[in-house]
Amino acid sequence: MLAKLHTFSLLGIDALPVEVEVDVSPAALPKTVLVGLPEQAVKESIHRIERALVNSGFVLPANRIVINLAPAELPKQAASFDLPVALGLLAASGQIASELLAQYAVVGELALDGAMRPVKGALSMAMAAAAGGRVRGLIVPSANAAEAAVVEGIEVIPVDSVTQAAAFLIEQLHIDPTPSRVGELFEELGRYEEDFADVRGQEMAKRAVTIAASGAHNLLRLCAIQPAPLQPVFCLCSS
């Protein structure tokens, strides 16, 4: 059988759509093949996924398994493919069947006991999912749910394990989407004791400070102090 799932791969800070295709077919000897330009972290995921499924009570297919991560020319270099590949194996081997597989994108790293671990770039993936319009929602580890839910217009489903994700997809477990808290976050984090609005002029200096803060760079400031006419005093400040 062939199963297809939606997921995302990070390229810098951008998330690009990836389709996970899993095919399970009879063979004399069991063998798993992973193609689609996977980096080392993705290649090693096969062993994690196999033990996570077995330790979660599922049956590992004793057949030939081919996993394709499309598009093939896009490098795949994160452990976030663990959950979509695991769910693809369950679907392709007939252990789960659900129409929701086509409606949700899936990301998440698996522990050996099937528990979820957080991934990087959940916000970028949620933004890409909302902009793409191909999926109804995004299934993510619970630790990433608040980050992804900042994006409005898409359902963010938090899961704690591969078992929970499978139960949600076959509609045996109802999980409420994580609500968006954008307004609360702006209200909570948008207040400062010092504000640039209180500084008149000094546009070049404010721009330099903004750029340094956004990239966590060091800043060297040259200050000119003139306490009395024709007596300038210069100081160097580093932060």
Side-chain angles (χ1 to χ4, degrees), residues 177-193:
T178 301
S180 177
R181 297 180 54 243
V182 177
E184 295 179 25
L185 289 173
F186 273 112
E187 182 68 22
E188 177 184 347
L189 304 176
R191 298 180 179 180
Y192 305 91
E193 293 182 4

Side-chain angles (χ1 to χ4, degrees), residues 133-158:
R134 300 175 58 189
V135 294
R136 165 182 164 189
L138 184 66
I139 299 176
V140 301
S142 294
N144 292 117
E147 175 188 353
V150 170
V151 180
E152 298 177 324
I154 189 170
E155 295 181 7
V156 176
I157 306 298

Side-chain angles (χ1 to χ4, degrees), residues 14 76 81 92 100 171 180:
D14 296 321
K76 322 298 188 309
F81 295 99
L100 295 181
E171 301 183 73
S180 177

